[in-house]
Structure formats: C-alpha cells, structure tokens
Amino acid sequence: MPPHPPAADPPSTPASTLAAAMASAWNAGDAERVIELAAQATEGAGDDEGALVLLGVAQQATGRYAQAATTFGRLCRLRPAVSAYWNNLGVASRLAGDLAASGQALRQARQLAPRDAEVHYNLGLLYTQQRDWPAARQALLEAASLAPSFIEARLQAAYACYVCGDNAAQEEMLDGAGEWPPQPAEQALILAAMLSVQGASEAALRTLARAQLPPTEAAAAPLRLRIAAQRVVLHERSNQVERAQEELQQLPLAAIDALPPDAVQARADGWRAHAAMASRNGAHAEAAALYRRVLALPLDDESRASVGFGLAIACDRLGRHDEAWDALEAAHAAQLEIARQVMPERLAADSQPLPLADCVVEPHDYARWTELRAPGPRESPVFVVGFPRSGTTLLEQMLDAHPDFQSMDERAYIHELIESMERVGQRYPADLASLSQDDADALRRSYRRRVAQVRPDLGARRLVDKNPLNMQCLPMIMRLFPQARIILCLRHPCDVLLSCSMQSFRSPAFMVLCSSLPRLAHGYARAFTQWQRDVEVFAPQVLEWRYESVVEQFGDQATRLAQFLDLADAVPLRRFAEHAREKHISTPSYAQVTRGVYRKAVGRWRDYREHFEPVLPVLQPWLERFGYDG
C-alpha cells in the first residue's frame, strides 16, 4: 500500500506549486491528472520529494507499475533511510514482474523498519507469488502478529498456513473470520474455502454472499460464476445435496461454455461443481468427462491434483481401473510439486514422512515414570486411532450419534501438545518420565482449552478424539489420560493403502507419504511397528475394531462397542448414518458415512493387484498379524 501523500507547503516555488496542484488532483481522485502535471515539471522540480511521491502513487494506481518502480527508485536514492519508499519500490517492482528487485527493496525496507507490519505483509505477498510457501507463512504471520487487526495479512497468512499444512496457525489466523468486513471476490473465495475446511460452512456461505464484485460486468461475471460454483461445492460437502442441486440450476453448462477464453479459473470451477454433483448422483461417466475437460485447462498444481483424484474415483466406479491408476499417478505428481515447494526435505530418499515413528519409550524408561494423578475413564477422551482410511470416520460418527458422546472432527491437539513440550526445551518422549503433576495438569488444561474452542457445549458428554495418527502419540496419551479407552481401527492393509492413494490429503507430509505404494507401505509398516511396541510397554485399554467385521455383523459389533465403553444402550450407535447427514464432516469419507454400512469398499484393492504385488512382502507380517489373506 502506498503511503499517504505528504501535505504540500504553500506555493512559493515551481516545485511547491506543482506539488500542490498534484495533491489537489490526487485528492479529487484524478490520478491521470497527477501524471499529466508531473510531466510539466521544470528542471529541478522533477526531484521534489512530494511531487515524486504523488507521481509514484498515481502511476501505481493506474497500472503503470514499471514507471512507478522507476519513480520510487528515484525516491530511494534521494532518501535512502525512508523505509516507506523502499516498501513502495518493492510493491511496484513485484506488480511489474521484477521479483528480484522487489525482494531486494522489501528486505531493505524490513531492515530499516523491522516492526512495520505492512513491509512484512508485502514480503509475504512476494514469497506467495514466488511459491516460497514457508517464507510466505513466516512473513505473513509476523505481519499479523505486529498488527492483529490487519485483516488482509491474517487472511493471506491463513492461506499460507493452509498450503503448508499448519492447521493450528491457520485456525488462529481465522479466529472470528466469519465477522470480518466484506472481502473482494477473489479473497472471499479463498476465505470461504478455508472456512469450509474448518467446518464453518455457514460462515463460508456468508462470506460468499457479501463478496465485493468488480464494477464492470465483464470482470464481475466470471467471479459471480465462481461464487455460485463454490456454493454448490459447500452444500454438497455438507451433505446438503438438495440445496447443492438447487444452486447448480444457477450454473448452467451453457453459461460456463460461453465464458471468454481467459476466464480459466471460472471455467474450471464451474465444470468441477457439475462433476462433483454428477459423481454424487452416480453419473460417473458424466463426472469423468467433466474432469477431463478441466484437466485440459492450464491449472495450478493444487487444482490439477484435486481434479485428478476426482477423475480417478470416477474411473474406478466405472471399472476403468487402468485409467483410474493413470489419473492417480498424475494427481500424485502434482501433489509432489506442492510438497517440494513447502517442505523439499521430505522428498529426500532417507526422509521419514511419519517422524514420530522413531519416538520410542523402552520398558526401562517407562519404569522411571513418576506416578501422577490423572482423570478416570469417564473423564478422559475416547481416542479413535488407526492408519488413515481404516474406518475411523465411520466409528466417530457412530459414537457422535450417541447422546453420551460428542466428537470434534479431526484435530491434531495431541500432536500440538508434543510440539508445545519441544518448544520449551522438553524432549519427547524422554521427558515424559520427569513431568511433574503441575506439568501434566498444564498440558491437560491446554488440551481442554483447544477442545473448548471447537466444542464449547461439550458439557458432561464424553469427548471423542478421532485422529488416526494419534496411534503414534500413545506415550503422550498414556501420560495424560492413562485410563482412557482407545479404539484401534483395522482394515485390510491393501484396501487401506488403495484408499489412501485415492484421497487428496492436505498435509504436505501425507502428500509425500501417499505418493507411491512402496513409500506408503513402508510408512504403514513403521506406524504399526511403533504401535505394537508401545502397546507392549503401556498395556492400554484397547478395542480392536475391524472394518470387515463391522460390515458383516454390524449389530453385534455395535453391542461389543457399547460394552467396551460401558454404555447401557447401543441403539443410538446404529443410527449414525441419519445423524451424519446433519453434519459437516471434514474427512474424505463425508459422503460415504451418510449411506450407512456397505460392502463395496471391501476387497477393492484386488482390482489393482498388479500394482500391489511389489509391496505385498512389506505388508505380509501385518496381513498375518491381523488375519487377512494376501
């Protein structure tokens, strides 16, 4: 943002007279007149500081970015200690496409004014344009920290966190976002997408309803279509299929086809909305055709990956398994590009996408744990764990349908407690042994504060903490909630790996993990090796919940679950599908769980057996351990 033009002195010289006239034109909203007046400058008046500031901001306001950069460059040479001039030079250079010059100018501005939120914000925008997401995240979070009411900085910081998979910081940046002032349409679309991921569908819809469109119809029409498309997706994602279908009526394919060639994103969003609804309605051939039309457009990696996964699922439903696998490989290649931008170190050959797999507590270490007071089983959360895509969402919705329980969707709060230990210099899991009562109580309070932010109405109900990879955090769970009931979800390992391969995960670490079956199989084996070791050490109260048994004997398994959790009545557990239709579910199973228990997901991997043959030896110990056929 350019600085406000300085007030002009009373006219006494040609330079001051010129600056006064330029200021008057600027205040009247006539940027073109400002530029015309600057062209009339006499020799010597051309270096008047006030006139140059007005000229620069007028050039930038009228889209003459390279000229504005030249003007602000002159100001920087005249007054090299003024950070605002370097900041404006950085902005103008970025808009002119000279990203190297922009970076040099903005870093100089930061050196001169390290606590200027606007400078950090503009650096963040530069890094975003360069797709340097970790640097963008850091700069934008710093801007928001320096100026908490700087809404644009918080929105852009949240988006950088979204790309980097930093869910905790994203939620912090978006706190209260549903009440933010109306946003320009492009920002409103980004904000609504992030709010939807957090489960705040109504806030997302309000954001779209208040989006500010450009003044001209030519510019507004594509954005209006994109907003309509996002409303379709929001309703479908919230299992409000009838409302989504109604919205789709406002988005005819003919209107999408009639868009000008440069309206690429609007065309992509419109076709994707139609494809999502076609897939939801079982019209998989129509969905596949629409996804292929989208993939023919010049897309960014995130869009290409998302559409590729949609195409793969449509082809799978049609029995076109070779085409489905080709689509998956293309989608994973796009996701690897995203991961390379966010955390390139995770792509190294020796990288471990599941770093907590090496966090082991040996029996002799556990023997040194001091005894601490802890909540009983009814005061502790019920933890639902297991490798992703093992049926954890199905189980979560069963429990949430019971009046004695409340789930909170998928949250990484236990992982965040581990991070909070490490931030204060405590080693995890080694220093769990020396935690004092006060330390443990403080960690539990921190956990409960997080829970209260998303489930303020929990009351006396028991919390269901469903996060599959909490299976890696058993030491922390046992330190804070040693009497907690834990349910381990199991499913045929090959079906698990296929389902993971067909999902568009947001976490960059999981993008890498799921990018190939060998990498995924080794990750699965490491996760369960760690789990098995931890179970032998801690002997927690665990129920193994097998997906195939639930499908075959649903009533019996619901009764077994009720007995494990000391419930007198298992009937509400059986009504989970109806309950799920009324909820926003953030995981990829959001549509499946509304249909109840069905057999189609059992044994799907056999359609892709040729791709699994190389990894079966890695999985064999777990196939035998869990009693599955290869």
Side-chain angles (χ1 to χ4, degrees):
M1 298 179 193
H4 293 295
D9 294 327
S12 58
T13 66
S16 62
T17 300
L18 175 69
M22 291 171 69
S24 178
W26 177 261
N27 291 332
D30 192 349
E32 292 290 351
R33 178 61 178 160
V34 172
I35 296 169
E36 291 174 10
L37 288 167
Q40 301 172 14
T42 59
E43 188 173 350
D47 281 339
D48 177 79
E49 186 177 350
L52 284 174
V53 170
L54 288 161
L55 174 60
V57 296
Q59 288 168 330
Q60 188 165 313
T62 55
R64 297 174 172 90
Y65 302 127
Q67 294 176 30
T70 299
T71 301
F72 286 120
R74 290 172 66 186
L75 279 163
C76 290
R77 290 189 293 274
L78 281 172
R79 297 284 303 278
V82 179
S83 66
Y85 297 158
W86 291 102
N87 180 54
N88 274 19
L89 173 58
V91 173
S93 297
R94 176 177 67 81
L95 294 172
D98 191 346
L99 303 188
S102 176
Q104 292 173 357
L106 289 170
R107 284 187 282 274
Q108 179 64 24
R110 182 179 60 186
Q111 183 175 339
L112 292 167
R115 296 191 59 77
D116 187 332
E118 191 176 303
V119 172
H120 289 280
Y121 171 70
N122 286 324
L123 262 172
L125 294 184
L126 170 65
Y127 294 139
T128 296
Q129 190 167 337
Q130 293 173 321
R131 316 297 285 180
D132 185 349
W133 292 107
R137 172 186 168 278
Q138 182 177 350
L140 292 163
L141 286 174
E142 182 66 21
S145 173
L146 290 167
S149 61
F150 191 171
I151 297 299
E152 294 90 341
R154 288 178 60 186
L155 192 157
Q156 295 297 335
Y159 185 66
C161 292
Y162 172 88
V163 175
C164 291
D166 185 350
N167 297 327
Q170 181 194 352
E171 287 188 8
E172 182 181 350
M173 288 297 100
L174 294 181
D175 184 35
E179 307 306 320
W180 284 355
Q183 299 294 310
E186 289 277 5
Q187 283 85 347
L189 286 160
I190 293 171
L191 177 57
M194 291 189 292
L195 289 170
S196 172
V197 169
Q198 290 187 347
S201 299
E202 291 304 317
L205 290 166
R206 284 199 305 274
T207 297
L208 294 176
R210 299 188 300 158
Q212 297 175 328
L213 293 166
T216 65
E217 180 58 24
L223 286 166
R224 193 179 295 111
L225 188 149
R226 291 183 63 194
I227 289 169
Q230 193 166 59
R231 280 201 299 266
V232 172
V233 173
L234 278 168
H235 289 313
E236 189 274 335
R237 192 67 182 74
S238 299
N239 288 314
Q240 299 176 10
V241 180
E242 290 184 6
R243 290 184 68 184
Q245 201 68 51
E246 291 172 5
E247 288 286 354
L248 200 66
Q249 304 298 321
Q250 311 304 314
L251 193 65
L253 285 170
I256 302 170
D257 296 341
L259 287 167
D262 60 347
V264 172
Q265 198 58 56
R267 199 181 300 270
D269 289 354
W271 284 338
R272 287 173 68 183
H274 275 273
M277 289 305 297
S279 182
R280 185 66 179 249
N281 294 327
H284 301 299
E286 179 185 345
L290 286 163
Y291 283 132
R292 291 190 190 282
R293 293 182 76 180
V294 179
L295 285 171
L297 299 171
L299 304 172
D300 59 30
D301 289 322
E302 184 177 0
S303 298
R304 187 162 295 279
S306 177
V307 174
F309 285 114
L311 175 60
I313 291 170
C315 290
D316 176 78
R317 300 293 189 271
L318 292 166
R320 301 174 186 168
H321 300 119
D322 290 342
E323 294 177 39
W325 198 260
D326 289 344
L328 284 179
E329 289 189 331
H332 285 298
Q335 283 203 326
L336 276 181
E337 288 304 311
I338 299 171
R340 184 173 284 109
Q341 295 163 3
V342 174
M343 42 177 62
E345 69 280 2
R346 289 292 176 93
L347 274 70
D350 59 349
S351 171
Q352 173 49 256
L354 301 176
L356 288 178
D358 296 323
C359 296
V360 177
V361 176
E362 300 292 349
H364 64 272
D365 295 322
Y366 181 47
R368 295 190 301 104
W369 280 24
T370 55
E371 188 172 344
L372 303 175
R373 295 187 307 277
R378 287 194 168 273
E379 292 73 44
S380 301
V382 173
F383 291 96
V384 175
V385 303
F387 207 80
R389 310 300 298 156
S390 294
T392 54
T393 301
L394 168 64
L395 175 57
E396 176 196 23
Q397 296 310 311
M398 288 180 66
L399 294 173
D400 193 68
H402 197 288
D404 289 355
F405 293 94
Q406 187 174 49
S407 69
M408 58 178 179
D409 220 340
E410 199 163 298
R411 307 285 172 175
Y413 293 158
I414 295 295
H415 289 260
E416 290 171 18
L417 294 183
I418 293 170
E419 293 170 0
S420 69
M421 277 187 65
E422 294 173 338
R423 278 197 299 271
V424 297
Q426 294 175 315
R427 297 164 302 155
Y428 178 85
D431 287 342
L432 290 174
S434 56
L435 284 187
S436 67
Q437 185 69 53
D438 287 346
D439 292 334
D441 289 343
L443 285 169
R444 278 190 287 266
R445 284 195 299 272
S446 178
Y447 176 84
R448 286 170 177 145
R449 278 197 301 272
R450 288 171 164 86
V451 171
Q453 290 175 348
V454 295
R455 289 295 178 263
D457 56 344
L458 180 63
R461 286 176 290 183
R462 297 164 69 181
L463 176 71
V464 179
D465 186 336
K466 186 271 291 189
N467 187 308
L469 287 180
N470 274 348
M471 67 184 293
Q472 290 195 285
C473 305
L474 193 56
M476 177 63 84
I477 291 172
M478 295 304 293
R479 196 47 161 151
L480 299 184
F481 304 105
Q483 297 186 56
R485 298 292 193 270
I486 301 171
I487 307 173
L488 173 69
C489 292
L490 296 174
R491 184 183 177 192
H492 193 295
C494 294
D495 276 332
V496 169
L497 267 57
L498 176 63
S499 191
C500 283
S501 297
M502 299 190 85
Q503 300 303 326
S504 180
F505 288 102
R506 287 182 49 238
S507 162
F510 242 76
M511 291 178 185
V512 175
L513 179 66
C514 298
S515 61
S516 73
L517 278 181
R519 185 177 270 138
L520 189 51
H522 284 287
Y524 181 97
R526 285 178 66 91
F528 272 102
T529 297
Q530 179 200 20
W531 168 262
Q532 205 62 39
R533 283 198 309 253
D534 285 345
V535 167
E536 291 170 2
V537 170
F538 297 111
Q541 299 184 68
V542 176
L543 173 70
E544 290 192 355
W545 180 258
R546 191 180 299 265
Y547 180 81
E548 293 83 2
S549 298
V550 175
V551 170
E552 294 290 345
Q553 307 160 342
F554 180 66
D556 292 344
Q557 294 301 314
T559 299
R560 178 169 166 259
L561 177 62
Q563 290 171 347
F564 178 70
L565 297 173
D566 299 322
L567 298 177
D569 184 9
V571 171
L573 300 174
R574 302 187 181 105
R575 297 174 179 164
F576 73 93
E578 179 180 345
H579 175 75
R581 293 186 195 107
E582 306 301 319
K583 294 185 59 184
H584 176 94
I585 300 168
S586 69
T587 56
S589 304
Y590 70 95
Q592 291 94 315
V593 296
T594 64
R595 301 201 297 266
V597 176
Y598 59 100
R599 289 193 48 84
K600 289 183 179 179
V602 176
R604 285 177 63 205
W605 73 277
R606 298 184 189 281
D607 293 325
Y608 301 89
R609 187 178 184 104
E610 64 182 287
H611 300 288
F612 278 86
E613 290 291 350
V615 302
L616 286 176
V618 178
L619 300 175
Q620 191 60 40
W622 303 105
L623 291 166
E624 295 174 1
R625 159 71 178 80
F626 301 142
Y628 288 109
D629 295 329

